[in-house]
Structure formats: structure tokens, C-alpha cells
Amino acid sequence: MDRTYTGSYGRLKVLNQEFFSDEFIISLMDKNADEVLQTLSAGPYKEDIDSSSAFASGLRLAEVAINRHLIKKNRLAIQAPPPASRKFLEAYFSKWDIENVKTVISAKFLGHDLRETEDFILSFRDVPSGIFGGRMGKEEFRSLMSLGSVEAVVESISRFPFGVRAMQTLDQYRKTNDPSVLFTAMDNFYLEDVLSSLKFFNGDEGAVRRYFRDLVDLKNMLLVMKARELGLNIEMIIPNVLPGGFVSVDRLEEIFRIGSSEEAIRKASDALSVQNPDSSGSLTDFELASENAIYMRSIDSITGSAPSLSSIFAFILKSEREREHLRIAILGKSAGISRERLIKLIGAKGG
């Protein structure tokens, strides 16, 4: 065992005991904003709520505190591994940079303004749209937000590896006026980068690698399923299939050519070893069920018992899952989503 893991592993192991159960999170659906804040303040979110109360209130304060709490946990996690394995976590956390860049590009595309606070990018409605959890600094994002167009943003981020990939699709964006081609390029680079940076440091990282290979399969399957819905040609899709997954290109093509959406989703679920929640043919439910299945079959083996990169990564996954569940329970109700649907969403994301 690498002794450099031991101290940080102990700190994260203590924090593991603070995670909320899904039953507790679901109970928040029955509370108003003041009761939610009071409940969260009685636990590990107290400092986050106190620190954010000067510029937010009500449900917005709850959202800011939830995001802020995740940032703190991410910062603890990035300090945990020894230098040899830190590159993987840096690659993983770059997803927040990519999500923030996508937020900036979307705002430019739609003609909306953005601004930033200490920890977040705020939308034109002053809602936290992105969190500063990656490798790019606030000054860099402030510079991006001051630019006048999507093209200018893409050209500016070309100094980063994921920006180089986006830059390669800039001509396609100009032809289609569709920013999703830029987003797909960055997302694809991200998964490739994470897999390439995941080395065997302690000998038990195989479960983490399988987790990301499952994510590659899910991304490829969603690419194929969405292409079916749009009536695209399979020859246009295959070059965009990411390598590194378990599902072959031949299997993807077979599923693409199935006539019925319900049957295609059933076959896709079989290929991903996912239990389809219903037979409605809903691609959204398929995606949520797949995310849930990947998480549930991965988390125990990733957590392990010995101090390792895997145990640190498990802490990160649990932190992200709690944030998503809290946001669903607290913000979903205010958005008018039914309790039944919210519970299903929490279950579908790992309940």
C-alpha cells in the first residue's frame, strides 16, 4: 500500500459518514425553503449556508450552499492522492472547466450575459450555472465572458487541449450554426483524456477504468439512439464513436437499424446490462436508468477497503451524487415537478 494515501484517506473516510441517505433527501421535498435551510444548517452544510447567506436567500441560498459544499469536497479530494496519480484527478475535474465553457458558449449563442462570484458562474437570472472546480481560474473565465462571440470563445480556449478539439470543429459550427458540435468534441476529448491518464498506481484501479469504459459505451449508445430519432445516416455517426468501450461498432450498427424505438431501447439496455424502467421508448428514461445502473454496479467495487486512488474517486462520485439528489429534491419541487417524478429521478440517478 502507498503510505502517501493513508492520511488523506483517513480524512475522507471520516467525511464519508456525513453523506445523506436518499430517504433523508426525499424528506426535504415536504419542507419549505426556510425548513430546508434549517435542516441543512443542522448538518455538514452549515458553514456553506452561513458563508453564502450574505448574497442569497431562500431556495437560491440552498442551491449556492449545495454547490459550494461540492467544491470544498473536490478540493479535499484533489489534495488527497500522491503526485503520481494526481494527473488522473486533474483530468477528471477538468469536466467542470468544460461544462463552464459550454455555459459561456451557450450564453454567447443565445445573447445572454453572465457574471461570476467567488465560486460560481451565474446566469443572466443570477442562478449558479457553473462551479469553479477544474483547472481554469476565475480570471480566465472572466476573460471568456467578456468576448463577443462563440467563435472568439472557441479561439481563446484553443490554448487548452479540449479547446484544440473544439477548434477543429469550428468550421462545422459555422456551417450548421449548431453549438452541439463544439460540445460533443469537448466531451469526447474529455473521456479519452481521462481514460489515457488512468494508470495502475496501486493495482486496484481496474474498477475505475471499467466505470469510464461503461460511460464511453453509454455515450456511444446515446449517439446512435439520437441519430435514429433524427433520421441521420449511420455512416455519418460511426466516425464519432469513441474507442475504449465494451460495445462493438457492429453491435451499435445493429441497434441503429432496428425499426421500433421500444425494441431499439430494449436491445441497447441489454448491450449495456441495464434494466429498462419501462417499455415506453423514452430515451430520457433510458439514459437515467443507464446512469443509475453504471453507478450502482461500480460504486461498491470502486470504494474498496484499502486506501487507494479508487477510494478517493468513490468519495468524489458520492459527493457528486449527493449534490444531484439534493438539487432534484429541493429545486425540482419549486419547478412544479411531481413528487412521484422527483423520486423516480432520484432513484434513476442512483437511489
Side-chain angles (χ1 to χ4, degrees):
M1 174 175 47
D2 190 332
R3 293 183 181 277
T4 53
Y5 282 110
T6 307
S8 57
Y9 175 78
R11 290 191 295 273
L12 297 186
K13 190 172 184 179
V14 170
L15 291 175
N16 264 298
Q17 300 172 19
E18 296 183 350
F19 287 120
F20 296 144
S21 68
D22 282 345
E23 290 74 19
F24 175 86
I25 293 173
I26 289 171
S27 74
L28 296 177
M29 296 179 192
D30 301 320
K31 302 180 184 297
N32 60 36
D34 289 340
E35 291 170 335
V36 166
L37 291 171
Q38 184 178 7
T39 302
L40 294 179
S41 292
Y45 287 78
K46 175 176 172 51
E47 193 270 334
D48 304 288
I49 291 173
D50 291 345
S51 297
S52 305
S53 59
F55 62 90
S57 61
L59 290 180
R60 184 177 162 228
L61 173 55
E63 182 177 13
V64 170
I66 291 165
N67 286 338
R68 188 178 186 276
H69 196 73
L70 177 65
I71 293 170
K72 287 197 309 185
K73 286 184 173 179
N74 284 352
R75 288 172 179 166
L76 286 172
I78 197 68
Q79 296 168 2
S85 57
R86 189 164 295 163
K87 184 177 184 295
F88 162 72
L89 290 188
E90 290 176 348
Y92 178 78
F93 283 132
S94 70
K95 73 177 188 176
W96 299 112
D97 292 335
I98 292 172
E99 289 303 311
N100 286 343
V101 166
K102 288 157 70 173
T103 297
V104 174
I105 289 175
S106 296
K108 298 299 175 185
F109 183 77
L110 297 171
H112 292 159
D113 292 325
L114 296 170
R115 64 185 183 89
E116 49 83 28
T117 66
E118 179 183 356
D119 292 317
F120 315 111
I121 290 178
L122 299 180
S123 75
F124 67 102
R125 295 174 290 124
D126 280 349
V127 173
S129 297
I131 64 176
F132 294 125
R135 289 179 281 186
M136 292 177 65
K138 290 186 282 289
E139 288 296 329
E140 290 171 302
F141 279 107
R142 190 174 296 131
S143 175
L144 290 181
M145 287 186 278
S146 71
L147 298 175
S149 67
V150 170
E151 290 89 341
V153 172
V154 174
E155 290 168 0
S156 180
I157 62 172
S158 63
R159 64 188 184 276
F160 300 102
F162 65 83
V164 172
R165 189 68 66 87
M167 189 74 177
Q168 292 169 354
T169 61
L170 192 54
D171 284 343
Q172 186 179 356
Y173 163 73
R174 290 173 177 140
K175 292 176 183 176
T176 62
N177 197 36
D178 180 3
S180 68
V181 300
L182 305 171
F183 300 162
T184 298
M186 290 188 285
D187 289 342
N188 287 355
F189 169 82
Y190 169 74
L191 282 173
E192 293 170 10
D193 187 41
V194 168
L195 276 171
S196 67
S197 68
L198 182 55
K199 311 298 181 184
F200 284 91
F201 308 107
N202 210 45
D204 62 350
E205 293 84 6
V208 180
R209 179 172 289 278
R210 286 192 295 275
Y211 172 79
F212 282 102
R213 292 186 69 184
D214 281 341
L215 291 186
V216 168
D217 282 335
L218 176 57
K219 186 168 183 61
N220 287 340
M221 198 65 73
L222 290 171
L223 174 71
V224 166
M225 301 298 284
K226 290 173 183 177
R228 290 182 75 263
E229 289 191 345
L230 295 172
L232 301 180
N233 193 303
I234 186 62
E235 281 72 27
M236 296 173 57
I237 302 305
I238 294 305
N240 294 313
V241 169
L242 282 174
F246 296 105
V247 180
S248 69
V249 172
D250 287 345
R251 188 83 180 273
L252 292 171
E253 287 194 38
E254 174 192 341
I255 292 170
F256 178 89
R257 299 184 190 284
I258 294 173
S260 162
S261 295
E262 290 83 358
E263 179 65 12
I265 286 180
R266 189 181 70 79
K267 291 288 189 181
S269 299
D270 290 343
L272 298 178
S273 300
V274 172
Q275 183 175 358
N276 191 26
D278 54 47
S279 58
S280 66
S282 166
L283 197 53
T284 298
D285 283 348
F286 165 75
E287 182 175 0
L288 292 172
S290 299
E291 289 174 354
N292 172 54
I294 291 170
Y295 177 89
M296 293 301 290
R297 70 179 176 232
S298 302
I299 191 61
D300 287 342
S301 56
I302 291 176
T303 300
S305 57
S308 66
L309 175 63
S310 296
S311 61
I312 295 169
F313 186 62
F315 174 81
I316 294 168
L317 288 182
K318 290 176 182 177
S319 300
E320 293 178 355
R321 177 175 176 265
E322 180 171 281
R323 170 184 179 258
E324 286 303 306
H325 284 190
L326 284 170
R327 284 165 53 85
I328 288 169
I330 294 171
L331 304 177
K333 182 179 178 183
S334 68
I337 302 174
S338 70
R339 179 187 176 88
E340 180 183 14
R341 179 62 177 167
L342 292 175
I343 292 174
K344 182 177 181 181
L345 288 173
I346 286 177
K349 283 185 173 288

